[in-house]
Amino acid sequence: MQNRVPFFFLSSFSLVLLLLLQLSSAQMPGFVSLDCGGKENFTDEIGLNWTPDKLMYGEISNISVANETRKQYTTLRHFPADSRKYCYTLDVVSRTRYLLRVSFLYGNFDANNVYPKFDIFIGATHWSTIVISDANTIETRELIFLALSPTVSVCLSNATTGKPFISTVELRQFNGSVYYTYTEEHFYLSVSARINFGADSDAPIRYPDDPFDRIWESDSVKKANYLVDVAAGTRKISTNKSIDVNSDELPPMKVMQTAVVGTNGSLTYRLNLDGFPGFAWAVTYFAEIEDLAENESRKFRLVLPGHADISKAVVNIEENAPGKYRLYEPGYTNLSLPFVLSFRFGKTSDSSRGPLLNAMEINEYLEKNDGSPDGEVISSVLSHYSSADWAQEGGDPCLPVPWSWVRCSSDQQPKIISILLSGKNLTGNIPLDITKLTGLVELRLDGNMLTGPIPDFTGCMDLKIIHLENNQLTGALPTSLTNLPNLRQLYVQNNMLSGTIPSDLLSSDFDLNFTGNTNLHKGSRKKSHLYVIIGSAVGAAVLLVATIISCLVMHKGKTKYYEQRSLVSHPSQSMDSSKSIGPSEAAHCFSFSEIENSTNNFEKKIGSGGFGVVYYGKLKDGKEIAVKVLTSNSYQGKREFSNEVTLLSRIHHRNLVQLLGYCRDEGNSMLIYEFMHNGTLKEHLYGPLTHGRSINWMKRLEIAEDSAKGIEYLHTGCVPAVIHRDLKSSNILLDIQMRAKVSDFGLSKLAVDGASHVSSIVRGTVGYLDPEYYISQQLTDKSDIYSFGVILLELISGQEAISNDSFGANCRNIVQWAKLHIESGDIQGIIDPVLQNNYDLQSMWKIAEKALMCVQPHGHMRPSISEVLKEIQDAIAIEREAEGNSDEPSNSVHSSINMGSLDLVATENYLSIDESIGQPTAR
Ligand SMILES: *[C@@H]1O[C@H](CO)[C@@H](O)[C@H](O)[C@H]1NC(C)=O
Ligand SMILES: *[C@@H]1O[C@H](CO)[C@@H](O)[C@H](O)[C@H]1NC(C)=O
Ligand SMILES: *[C@@H]1O[C@H](CO)[C@@H](O)[C@H](O)[C@H]1NC(C)=O
Ligand SMILES: *[C@@H]1O[C@H](CO)[C@@H](O)[C@H](O)[C@H]1NC(C)=O
Ligand SMILES: *[C@@H]1O[C@H](CO)[C@@H](O)[C@H](O)[C@H]1NC(C)=O
Ligand SMILES: *[C@@H]1O[C@H](CO)[C@@H](O)[C@H](O)[C@H]1NC(C)=O
Ligand SMILES: *[C@@H]1O[C@H](CO)[C@@H](O)[C@H](O)[C@H]1NC(C)=O
């Protein structure tokens, strides 16, 4: 959680346009209103369209409550008081914010003498405990969340007394970012209070006045210990004049047209905040709706017990929202609040009027439980059986209680350990995704109508019991079964299997039943796979360093012509298979004459990097190179030179510009890189190369992805980790296919092993430099994240990181500029106009929001590069989907996570001796 943020101004920009478009009367898209237990569709008196819930569980009851006549409250659905969970699954649009509301009107439906008490969950997260204390009172819970997957589930469980039941489920889609928080992927916002002060009746204000159907409760509603202790002199005021609320998610005008004022100088209230103590997102809404005389003023402070610092800030509506009838919405994004909140607004001594308050919202942060890591895999298994009863249970497979046919481990993040689907009429092949359940111990699929082969279960190393009998499986018993060290029971009788049985499966401590497979025989053992033990990587690294040092020493003060090939080098730990393996990895000492010849005596200058000029060259074999000549007798240059040589020759990745070699001559130090045909990203965004052929959003995303992969390799694939220290758009180079590679490790420095930071002289480029690093001089990988965030903002906006005139008055910095726009929901205001409308707004938001997280003031609040990479890949997937590119190769982000363990296994099994011989590799 973030620390408290000072009284800040959720500033709003030119959203007047959006406001004009807002006045449509049709029900908003993205509204779902389920009438639980209902029979038919209907439209209620305020214009919401209700549909019956179609759930295969539970029973329906009709109820009748004297003072509640709304149709949706004449029925409810109730569930048995057992230990299962009962879930509603709702379709949502991923990366979109929603309001979810559930309500419960008991109405004495079961004529029981105890009132129900049960828990509700959103996904795997405990949302709230529902305690009924009055048969005629509606209990309501609301939650604001960012959807991260295509569905969201609401589950009822843990019946403590009585039967769990539910009356309504409502989903309302937001389309801006008023409820954006930095932590929204890890926390929900549970709505605690949304109050319309000075309301002229008890009726709440909601749809259609609020287009998102938030319910603004009247402050005159009487609830126990809620809005009490009202100060003497508190008066209601209201206006008919229209109020400029800036943006479409801010309170509706009708809410802002009423207020309370403290005519004696104070407004005080006490209210109970259900669920608290906790951390709150709290915002107050003010608009001056009285006509103050010229010489009058209204200034006041908020006084909160235990928060002395807060009362320093003075609210002056006229100053903060210049002009009359305009909204000012100061708030705190993270404030710790007690269960009983007493607050006071007090006028300052120089103010002529007492305080005013139109509305407020308090939401509690509710930490998400990500649930079982197997959730995605099992839902893709379920997608094959979408019409089967057992596949309808919904929610997380393990939490709060497992599905009826699943057993889970008792970890914090429970894994599926048993699948019990005997006799369920399953057809088709055994779903391959089952083999991705890495915690699986017991698999029972017997007595179905499964066909096809038995898959490779090597991904499930803990498997103990496999029951596949009484199906129609064909093919051989795979030898991969012998790789499962814990396998004790394998039942495959009465199938159509054939071939010979691996002899390991015939040992006496092993329970195998294979009768009834006419073509399956015992036979001699066939050797399965060869495991190749691979040479020590540490050894390789030592050898490499020795080579380089010797190479340099031999050159010192020596004659011109000397050449030596160093040995093949490897990073000490590999990230993935994208690292290149082969002779090209050699760090090569070029002779000066060779460089002279290939550059035609340094004829063509192609750039000037951080500490030297870069020339184009072409080697005898036709290979194009870039030669960076370092500024000669500068101490710093020499140090950087050897630094870069040591580093670069150790690091190989397809998204890092490759160092081919180096050259030292009297007074000259040179680095020879592969030539990158398409120059720097900077040139493509706002340099000379943009004319007529600017890069589109998809390409920009791919460049971001490539660069992030390069950086990820530096941060996590190298030991010790490498911090780049000078990431910027001119250090991202594009090759002939426009794939991006990160270059220039001149400022890089090995991070101290084991320590989280290294201290050194601050270096970097203005505009990209991490302010925290600048202040503290403590360098961490999060400094690179800051710089990368700036690059993402450049990709979105096509603006330079620092500019004297692009960002308006008092702002030279892309970060400040973008932040103001994004936080006020105005992303359009920063999108590069050359992109026109050729992008998907969701993917744009995704990148914009991640970019803002990257440029958070404190390193610990910034994401890791791997998280950023995942977001970029999600954005690419969204963009591809939007483009309708279904023929794209299936490198979907969602499945790649689960593929990981299989890939690893495959590599171990199938690495042949030829490939590994003579080359130490990184495994
Ligand atoms: C957001 O919703 C409002 C209606 O309240 C609509 O006018 C506006 O166009 C929507 N904005 C976007 C970006 O969809
Ligand atoms: C009820 O409404 C839903 C969604 O609005 C619609 O799909 C369905 O066809 C309607 N059913 C009837 C019987 O009109
Ligand atoms: C509820 O009322 C409807 C008629 O409104 C009736 O058809 C239905 O059978 C009733 N259900 C129960 C469980 O009493
Ligand atoms: C109905 O009346 C009860 C008191 O008998 C009250 O607690 C409840 O809030 C009322 N419900 C509605 C919807 O007005
Ligand atoms: C079920 O509810 C009881 C009482 O409210 C609570 O103590 C218990 O922790 C809950 N169990 C689960 C699994 O949430
Ligand atoms: C399986 O299918 C048969 C015939 O189609 C049916 O009678 C039986 O109830 C089904 N069993 C299950 C568990 O669905
Ligand atoms: C193997 O399966 C068959 C058929 O289900 C059964 O008759 C036999 O008893 C089983 N053998 C063992 C050793 O369990």
Side-chain angles (χ1 to χ4, degrees), residues 22 194 196 205-212 214 216 243 245 247-257 327 359:
Q22 188 187 312
R194 195 191 291 114
N196 172 23
I205 290 176
R206 59 182 295 185
Y207 187 84
D209 292 306
D210 187 321
F212 302 101
R214 288 165 295 185
W216 298 84
I243 294 175
V245 294
S247 158
D248 48 20
E249 278 179 13
L250 291 171
M253 197 157 80
K254 198 163 170 190
V255 168
M256 295 307 295
Q257 282 172 327
L327 174 82

PDB file of all heavy atoms in Angstrom, residues 22 194 196 205-212 214 216 243 245 247-257 327 359:
ATOM      1  N   GLN A  22     -22.918  13.039 -23.127  1.00  0.00           N
ATOM      2  CA  GLN A  22     -23.365  12.136 -22.081  1.00  0.00           C
ATOM      3  C   GLN A  22     -24.878  11.956 -21.998  1.00  0.00           C
ATOM      4  O   GLN A  22     -25.356  10.970 -21.455  1.00  0.00           O
ATOM      5  CB  GLN A  22     -22.838  12.684 -20.756  1.00  0.00           C
ATOM      6  CG  GLN A  22     -23.036  11.798 -19.576  1.00  0.00           C
ATOM      7  CD  GLN A  22     -22.621  12.544 -18.332  1.00  0.00           C
ATOM      8  OE1 GLN A  22     -21.567  13.147 -18.280  1.00  0.00           O
ATOM      9  NE2 GLN A  22     -23.460  12.532 -17.332  1.00  0.00           N
ATOM     10  N   ARG A 194     -21.330   6.459   0.225  1.00  0.00           N
ATOM     11  CA  ARG A 194     -21.432   7.341  -0.937  1.00  0.00           C
ATOM     12  C   ARG A 194     -22.611   8.243  -0.629  1.00  0.00           C
ATOM     13  O   ARG A 194     -23.765   7.845  -0.765  1.00  0.00           O
ATOM     14  CB  ARG A 194     -21.648   6.519  -2.208  1.00  0.00           C
ATOM     15  CG  ARG A 194     -21.402   7.298  -3.479  1.00  0.00           C
ATOM     16  CD  ARG A 194     -21.865   6.584  -4.717  1.00  0.00           C
ATOM     17  NE  ARG A 194     -21.102   5.404  -5.084  1.00  0.00           N
ATOM     18  CZ  ARG A 194     -21.588   4.164  -5.072  1.00  0.00           C
ATOM     19  NH1 ARG A 194     -22.828   3.951  -4.642  1.00  0.00           N
ATOM     20  NH2 ARG A 194     -20.868   3.154  -5.455  1.00  0.00           N
ATOM     21  N   ASN A 196     -24.874  11.812  -0.437  1.00  0.00           N
ATOM     22  CA  ASN A 196     -25.309  13.074  -1.020  1.00  0.00           C
ATOM     23  C   ASN A 196     -25.764  13.976   0.124  1.00  0.00           C
ATOM     24  O   ASN A 196     -26.798  13.735   0.732  1.00  0.00           O
ATOM     25  CB  ASN A 196     -26.461  12.775  -1.987  1.00  0.00           C
ATOM     26  CG  ASN A 196     -27.107  14.043  -2.502  1.00  0.00           C
ATOM     27  OD1 ASN A 196     -26.487  15.103  -2.504  1.00  0.00           O
ATOM     28  ND2 ASN A 196     -28.363  13.937  -2.939  1.00  0.00           N
ATOM     29  N   ILE A 205     -30.124   9.076  -4.998  1.00  0.00           N
ATOM     30  CA  ILE A 205     -29.996   9.472  -6.397  1.00  0.00           C
ATOM     31  C   ILE A 205     -29.198   8.384  -7.101  1.00  0.00           C
ATOM     32  O   ILE A 205     -28.136   7.980  -6.626  1.00  0.00           O
ATOM     33  CB  ILE A 205     -29.291  10.837  -6.514  1.00  0.00           C
ATOM     34  CG1 ILE A 205     -30.234  11.911  -5.992  1.00  0.00           C
ATOM     35  CG2 ILE A 205     -28.896  11.107  -7.963  1.00  0.00           C
ATOM     36  CD1 ILE A 205     -29.619  13.288  -5.965  1.00  0.00           C
ATOM     37  N   ARG A 206     -29.758   7.880  -8.186  1.00  0.00           N
ATOM     38  CA  ARG A 206     -29.067   6.828  -8.920  1.00  0.00           C
ATOM     39  C   ARG A 206     -29.417   6.957 -10.393  1.00  0.00           C
ATOM     40  O   ARG A 206     -29.707   8.063 -10.853  1.00  0.00           O
ATOM     41  CB  ARG A 206     -29.413   5.441  -8.353  1.00  0.00           C
ATOM     42  CG  ARG A 206     -30.895   5.098  -8.390  1.00  0.00           C
ATOM     43  CD  ARG A 206     -31.179   3.738  -7.786  1.00  0.00           C
ATOM     44  NE  ARG A 206     -30.560   2.657  -8.571  1.00  0.00           N
ATOM     45  CZ  ARG A 206     -30.743   1.364  -8.302  1.00  0.00           C
ATOM     46  NH1 ARG A 206     -31.489   0.993  -7.267  1.00  0.00           N
ATOM     47  NH2 ARG A 206     -30.184   0.444  -9.053  1.00  0.00           N
ATOM     48  N   TYR A 207     -29.368   5.863 -11.157  1.00  0.00           N
ATOM     49  CA  TYR A 207     -29.742   5.883 -12.551  1.00  0.00           C
ATOM     50  C   TYR A 207     -31.154   6.416 -12.708  1.00  0.00           C
ATOM     51  O   TYR A 207     -32.006   6.083 -11.884  1.00  0.00           O
ATOM     52  CB  TYR A 207     -29.662   4.452 -13.104  1.00  0.00           C
ATOM     53  CG  TYR A 207     -29.857   4.354 -14.588  1.00  0.00           C
ATOM     54  CD1 TYR A 207     -28.794   4.566 -15.452  1.00  0.00           C
ATOM     55  CD2 TYR A 207     -31.110   4.069 -15.117  1.00  0.00           C
ATOM     56  CE1 TYR A 207     -28.974   4.489 -16.820  1.00  0.00           C
ATOM     57  CE2 TYR A 207     -31.295   3.999 -16.488  1.00  0.00           C
ATOM     58  CZ  TYR A 207     -30.223   4.210 -17.331  1.00  0.00           C
ATOM     59  OH  TYR A 207     -30.391   4.142 -18.677  1.00  0.00           O
ATOM     60  N   PRO A 208     -31.478   7.233 -13.689  1.00  0.00           N
ATOM     61  CA  PRO A 208     -30.593   7.705 -14.766  1.00  0.00           C
ATOM     62  C   PRO A 208     -29.823   8.978 -14.450  1.00  0.00           C
ATOM     63  O   PRO A 208     -29.033   9.408 -15.281  1.00  0.00           O
ATOM     64  CB  PRO A 208     -31.573   7.934 -15.916  1.00  0.00           C
ATOM     65  CG  PRO A 208     -32.859   8.287 -15.247  1.00  0.00           C
ATOM     66  CD  PRO A 208     -32.866   7.586 -13.928  1.00  0.00           C
ATOM     67  N   ASP A 209     -30.043   9.568 -13.258  1.00  0.00           N
ATOM     68  CA  ASP A 209     -29.255  10.775 -12.951  1.00  0.00           C
ATOM     69  C   ASP A 209     -27.774  10.453 -12.943  1.00  0.00           C
ATOM     70  O   ASP A 209     -26.944  11.223 -13.404  1.00  0.00           O
ATOM     71  CB  ASP A 209     -29.665  11.330 -11.579  1.00  0.00           C
ATOM     72  CG  ASP A 209     -31.087  11.877 -11.601  1.00  0.00           C
ATOM     73  OD1 ASP A 209     -31.360  12.724 -12.468  1.00  0.00           O
ATOM     74  OD2 ASP A 209     -31.916  11.424 -10.793  1.00  0.00           O
ATOM     75  N   ASP A 210     -27.436   9.312 -12.362  1.00  0.00           N
ATOM     76  CA  ASP A 210     -26.055   8.844 -12.411  1.00  0.00           C
ATOM     77  C   ASP A 210     -25.975   7.807 -13.536  1.00  0.00           C
ATOM     78  O   ASP A 210     -26.534   6.716 -13.419  1.00  0.00           O
ATOM     79  CB  ASP A 210     -25.661   8.211 -11.080  1.00  0.00           C
ATOM     80  CG  ASP A 210     -24.173   7.871 -11.057  1.00  0.00           C
ATOM     81  OD1 ASP A 210     -23.652   7.426 -12.102  1.00  0.00           O
ATOM     82  OD2 ASP A 210     -23.540   8.041 -10.004  1.00  0.00           O
ATOM     83  N   PRO A 211     -25.297   8.135 -14.616  1.00  0.00           N
ATOM     84  CA  PRO A 211     -25.294   7.214 -15.764  1.00  0.00           C
ATOM     85  C   PRO A 211     -24.628   5.878 -15.444  1.00  0.00           C
ATOM     86  O   PRO A 211     -24.826   4.916 -16.186  1.00  0.00           O
ATOM     87  CB  PRO A 211     -24.525   7.984 -16.839  1.00  0.00           C
ATOM     88  CG  PRO A 211     -23.759   9.027 -16.117  1.00  0.00           C
ATOM     89  CD  PRO A 211     -24.538   9.354 -14.877  1.00  0.00           C
ATOM     90  N   PHE A 212     -23.875   5.818 -14.367  1.00  0.00           N
ATOM     91  CA  PHE A 212     -23.246   4.545 -13.999  1.00  0.00           C
ATOM     92  C   PHE A 212     -24.006   3.856 -12.880  1.00  0.00           C
ATOM     93  O   PHE A 212     -23.547   2.867 -12.326  1.00  0.00           O
ATOM     94  CB  PHE A 212     -21.783   4.777 -13.607  1.00  0.00           C
ATOM     95  CG  PHE A 212     -21.005   5.411 -14.725  1.00  0.00           C
ATOM     96  CD1 PHE A 212     -20.732   6.767 -14.715  1.00  0.00           C
ATOM     97  CD2 PHE A 212     -20.589   4.655 -15.809  1.00  0.00           C
ATOM     98  CE1 PHE A 212     -20.062   7.357 -15.770  1.00  0.00           C
ATOM     99  CE2 PHE A 212     -19.916   5.247 -16.864  1.00  0.00           C
ATOM    100  CZ  PHE A 212     -19.648   6.598 -16.843  1.00  0.00           C
ATOM    101  N   ARG A 214     -24.494   4.531  -9.809  1.00  0.00           N
ATOM    102  CA  ARG A 214     -24.043   4.490  -8.420  1.00  0.00           C
ATOM    103  C   ARG A 214     -25.204   4.998  -7.572  1.00  0.00           C
ATOM    104  O   ARG A 214     -25.975   5.852  -8.022  1.00  0.00           O
ATOM    105  CB  ARG A 214     -22.833   5.414  -8.237  1.00  0.00           C
ATOM    106  CG  ARG A 214     -21.586   4.870  -8.882  1.00  0.00           C
ATOM    107  CD  ARG A 214     -20.529   5.936  -9.003  1.00  0.00           C
ATOM    108  NE  ARG A 214     -20.961   6.997  -9.910  1.00  0.00           N
ATOM    109  CZ  ARG A 214     -20.193   8.015 -10.282  1.00  0.00           C
ATOM    110  NH1 ARG A 214     -18.964   8.138  -9.798  1.00  0.00           N
ATOM    111  NH2 ARG A 214     -20.640   8.943 -11.114  1.00  0.00           N
ATOM    112  N   TRP A 216     -26.304   7.208  -4.675  1.00  0.00           N
ATOM    113  CA  TRP A 216     -25.877   8.275  -3.775  1.00  0.00           C
ATOM    114  C   TRP A 216     -26.933   8.386  -2.695  1.00  0.00           C
ATOM    115  O   TRP A 216     -28.038   8.866  -2.931  1.00  0.00           O
ATOM    116  CB  TRP A 216     -25.708   9.588  -4.545  1.00  0.00           C
ATOM    117  CG  TRP A 216     -24.651   9.491  -5.609  1.00  0.00           C
ATOM    118  CD1 TRP A 216     -24.801   9.015  -6.869  1.00  0.00           C
ATOM    119  CD2 TRP A 216     -23.276   9.858  -5.478  1.00  0.00           C
ATOM    120  NE1 TRP A 216     -23.595   9.062  -7.541  1.00  0.00           N
ATOM    121  CE2 TRP A 216     -22.648   9.575  -6.719  1.00  0.00           C
ATOM    122  CE3 TRP A 216     -22.504  10.404  -4.444  1.00  0.00           C
ATOM    123  CZ2 TRP A 216     -21.289   9.809  -6.936  1.00  0.00           C
ATOM    124  CZ3 TRP A 216     -21.157  10.657  -4.670  1.00  0.00           C
ATOM    125  CH2 TRP A 216     -20.558  10.349  -5.899  1.00  0.00           C
ATOM    126  N   ILE A 243     -24.202  22.615 -12.734  1.00  0.00           N
ATOM    127  CA  ILE A 243     -22.872  22.593 -12.129  1.00  0.00           C
ATOM    128  C   ILE A 243     -21.916  21.854 -13.036  1.00  0.00           C
ATOM    129  O   ILE A 243     -22.238  20.784 -13.558  1.00  0.00           O
ATOM    130  CB  ILE A 243     -22.950  21.929 -10.741  1.00  0.00           C
ATOM    131  CG1 ILE A 243     -23.783  22.834  -9.833  1.00  0.00           C
ATOM    132  CG2 ILE A 243     -21.573  21.693 -10.157  1.00  0.00           C
ATOM    133  CD1 ILE A 243     -24.050  22.300  -8.492  1.00  0.00           C
ATOM    134  N   VAL A 245     -19.306  19.533 -13.688  1.00  0.00           N
ATOM    135  CA  VAL A 245     -18.634  18.458 -12.965  1.00  0.00           C
ATOM    136  C   VAL A 245     -17.457  17.866 -13.746  1.00  0.00           C
ATOM    137  O   VAL A 245     -16.908  16.840 -13.362  1.00  0.00           O
ATOM    138  CB  VAL A 245     -19.605  17.319 -12.565  1.00  0.00           C
ATOM    139  CG1 VAL A 245     -20.600  17.816 -11.562  1.00  0.00           C
ATOM    140  CG2 VAL A 245     -20.294  16.722 -13.758  1.00  0.00           C
ATOM    141  N   SER A 247     -16.164  15.785 -15.629  1.00  0.00           N
ATOM    142  CA  SER A 247     -15.899  14.483 -16.224  1.00  0.00           C
ATOM    143  C   SER A 247     -17.066  13.566 -15.921  1.00  0.00           C
ATOM    144  O   SER A 247     -17.751  13.725 -14.917  1.00  0.00           O
ATOM    145  CB  SER A 247     -14.618  13.924 -15.630  1.00  0.00           C
ATOM    146  OG  SER A 247     -14.592  12.535 -15.787  1.00  0.00           O
ATOM    147  N   ASP A 248     -17.295  12.578 -16.779  1.00  0.00           N
ATOM    148  CA  ASP A 248     -18.547  11.848 -16.681  1.00  0.00           C
ATOM    149  C   ASP A 248     -18.644  10.859 -15.518  1.00  0.00           C
ATOM    150  O   ASP A 248     -19.712  10.376 -15.234  1.00  0.00           O
ATOM    151  CB  ASP A 248     -18.892  11.176 -18.015  1.00  0.00           C
ATOM    152  CG  ASP A 248     -17.727  10.417 -18.584  1.00  0.00           C
ATOM    153  OD1 ASP A 248     -16.794  10.081 -17.820  1.00  0.00           O
ATOM    154  OD2 ASP A 248     -17.734  10.171 -19.782  1.00  0.00           O
ATOM    155  N   GLU A 249     -17.547  10.574 -14.853  1.00  0.00           N
ATOM    156  CA  GLU A 249     -17.670   9.653 -13.714  1.00  0.00           C
ATOM    157  C   GLU A 249     -17.755  10.371 -12.374  1.00  0.00           C
ATOM    158  O   GLU A 249     -17.838   9.740 -11.337  1.00  0.00           O
ATOM    159  CB  GLU A 249     -16.514   8.656 -13.694  1.00  0.00           C
ATOM    160  CG  GLU A 249     -16.771   7.512 -14.648  1.00  0.00           C
ATOM    161  CD  GLU A 249     -15.655   6.514 -14.689  1.00  0.00           C
ATOM    162  OE1 GLU A 249     -14.781   6.545 -13.812  1.00  0.00           O
ATOM    163  OE2 GLU A 249     -15.664   5.703 -15.623  1.00  0.00           O
ATOM    164  N   LEU A 250     -17.664  11.669 -12.406  1.00  0.00           N
ATOM    165  CA  LEU A 250     -17.776  12.410 -11.161  1.00  0.00           C
ATOM    166  C   LEU A 250     -19.249  12.461 -10.760  1.00  0.00           C
ATOM    167  O   LEU A 250     -20.109  12.048 -11.529  1.00  0.00           O
ATOM    168  CB  LEU A 250     -17.119  13.765 -11.345  1.00  0.00           C
ATOM    169  CG  LEU A 250     -15.595  13.569 -11.494  1.00  0.00           C
ATOM    170  CD1 LEU A 250     -14.904  14.830 -11.901  1.00  0.00           C
ATOM    171  CD2 LEU A 250     -15.002  13.015 -10.206  1.00  0.00           C
ATOM    172  N   PRO A 251     -19.569  12.939  -9.556  1.00  0.00           N
ATOM    173  CA  PRO A 251     -20.961  12.834  -9.102  1.00  0.00           C
ATOM    174  C   PRO A 251     -21.906  13.526 -10.079  1.00  0.00           C
ATOM    175  O   PRO A 251     -21.542  14.529 -10.679  1.00  0.00           O
ATOM    176  CB  PRO A 251     -20.956  13.568  -7.769  1.00  0.00           C
ATOM    177  CG  PRO A 251     -19.560  13.592  -7.335  1.00  0.00           C
ATOM    178  CD  PRO A 251     -18.714  13.563  -8.562  1.00  0.00           C
ATOM    179  N   PRO A 252     -23.093  12.967 -10.227  1.00  0.00           N
ATOM    180  CA  PRO A 252     -24.053  13.607 -11.117  1.00  0.00           C
ATOM    181  C   PRO A 252     -24.414  14.994 -10.596  1.00  0.00           C
ATOM    182  O   PRO A 252     -24.312  15.285  -9.397  1.00  0.00           O
ATOM    183  CB  PRO A 252     -25.253  12.667 -11.086  1.00  0.00           C
ATOM    184  CG  PRO A 252     -25.043  11.759  -9.935  1.00  0.00           C
ATOM    185  CD  PRO A 252     -23.596  11.737  -9.619  1.00  0.00           C
ATOM    186  N   MET A 253     -24.840  15.844 -11.520  1.00  0.00           N
ATOM    187  CA  MET A 253     -25.132  17.225 -11.171  1.00  0.00           C
ATOM    188  C   MET A 253     -26.144  17.323 -10.041  1.00  0.00           C
ATOM    189  O   MET A 253     -26.028  18.156  -9.155  1.00  0.00           O
ATOM    190  CB  MET A 253     -25.677  17.914 -12.413  1.00  0.00           C
ATOM    191  CG  MET A 253     -25.635  19.376 -12.322  1.00  0.00           C
ATOM    192  SD  MET A 253     -25.625  20.061 -13.963  1.00  0.00           S
ATOM    193  CE  MET A 253     -27.346  19.946 -14.364  1.00  0.00           C
ATOM    194  N   LYS A 254     -27.123  16.437 -10.076  1.00  0.00           N
ATOM    195  CA  LYS A 254     -28.183  16.493  -9.068  1.00  0.00           C
ATOM    196  C   LYS A 254     -27.622  16.334  -7.656  1.00  0.00           C
ATOM    197  O   LYS A 254     -28.147  16.911  -6.700  1.00  0.00           O
ATOM    198  CB  LYS A 254     -29.200  15.392  -9.376  1.00  0.00           C
ATOM    199  CG  LYS A 254     -30.528  15.596  -8.707  1.00  0.00           C
ATOM    200  CD  LYS A 254     -31.600  14.747  -9.354  1.00  0.00           C
ATOM    201  CE  LYS A 254     -32.866  14.767  -8.518  1.00  0.00           C
ATOM    202  NZ  LYS A 254     -33.835  13.786  -8.978  1.00  0.00           N
ATOM    203  N   VAL A 255     -26.579  15.543  -7.524  1.00  0.00           N
ATOM    204  CA  VAL A 255     -25.945  15.370  -6.220  1.00  0.00           C
ATOM    205  C   VAL A 255     -25.227  16.653  -5.821  1.00  0.00           C
ATOM    206  O   VAL A 255     -25.280  17.098  -4.670  1.00  0.00           O
ATOM    207  CB  VAL A 255     -24.964  14.179  -6.261  1.00  0.00           C
ATOM    208  CG1 VAL A 255     -24.083  14.150  -5.024  1.00  0.00           C
ATOM    209  CG2 VAL A 255     -25.721  12.866  -6.421  1.00  0.00           C
ATOM    210  N   MET A 256     -24.593  17.290  -6.804  1.00  0.00           N
ATOM    211  CA  MET A 256     -23.812  18.481  -6.500  1.00  0.00           C
ATOM    212  C   MET A 256     -24.687  19.716  -6.265  1.00  0.00           C
ATOM    213  O   MET A 256     -24.213  20.720  -5.751  1.00  0.00           O
ATOM    214  CB  MET A 256     -22.815  18.752  -7.644  1.00  0.00           C
ATOM    215  CG  MET A 256     -21.754  17.680  -7.808  1.00  0.00           C
ATOM    216  SD  MET A 256     -20.851  17.315  -6.283  1.00  0.00           S
ATOM    217  CE  MET A 256     -20.013  18.865  -6.003  1.00  0.00           C
ATOM    218  N   GLN A 257     -25.931  19.631  -6.661  1.00  0.00           N
ATOM    219  CA  GLN A 257     -26.810  20.804  -6.505  1.00  0.00           C
ATOM    220  C   GLN A 257     -27.325  20.988  -5.080  1.00  0.00           C
ATOM    221  O   GLN A 257     -27.988  21.966  -4.780  1.00  0.00           O
ATOM    222  CB  GLN A 257     -28.006  20.702  -7.468  1.00  0.00           C
ATOM    223  CG  GLN A 257     -27.617  21.073  -8.895  1.00  0.00           C
ATOM    224  CD  GLN A 257     -28.717  20.796  -9.884  1.00  0.00           C
ATOM    225  OE1 GLN A 257     -29.480  19.840  -9.717  1.00  0.00           O
ATOM    226  NE2 GLN A 257     -28.812  21.608 -10.915  1.00  0.00           N
ATOM    227  N   LEU A 327     -16.991  21.967  -9.845  1.00  0.00           N
ATOM    228  CA  LEU A 327     -16.661  20.916  -8.895  1.00  0.00           C
ATOM    229  C   LEU A 327     -15.191  20.963  -8.483  1.00  0.00           C
ATOM    230  O   LEU A 327     -14.314  21.195  -9.309  1.00  0.00           O
ATOM    231  CB  LEU A 327     -16.936  19.565  -9.561  1.00  0.00           C
ATOM    232  CG  LEU A 327     -16.500  18.353  -8.757  1.00  0.00           C
ATOM    233  CD1 LEU A 327     -17.558  18.018  -7.734  1.00  0.00           C
ATOM    234  CD2 LEU A 327     -16.253  17.180  -9.669  1.00  0.00           C
ATOM    235  N   ALA A 359     -20.866  16.224  -1.245  1.00  0.00           N
ATOM    236  CA  ALA A 359     -20.928  14.759  -1.338  1.00  0.00           C
ATOM    237  C   ALA A 359     -19.595  14.158  -0.919  1.00  0.00           C
ATOM    238  O   ALA A 359     -18.574  14.853  -0.896  1.00  0.00           O
ATOM    239  CB  ALA A 359     -21.249  14.328  -2.770  1.00  0.00           C
TER     240      ALA A 359
END
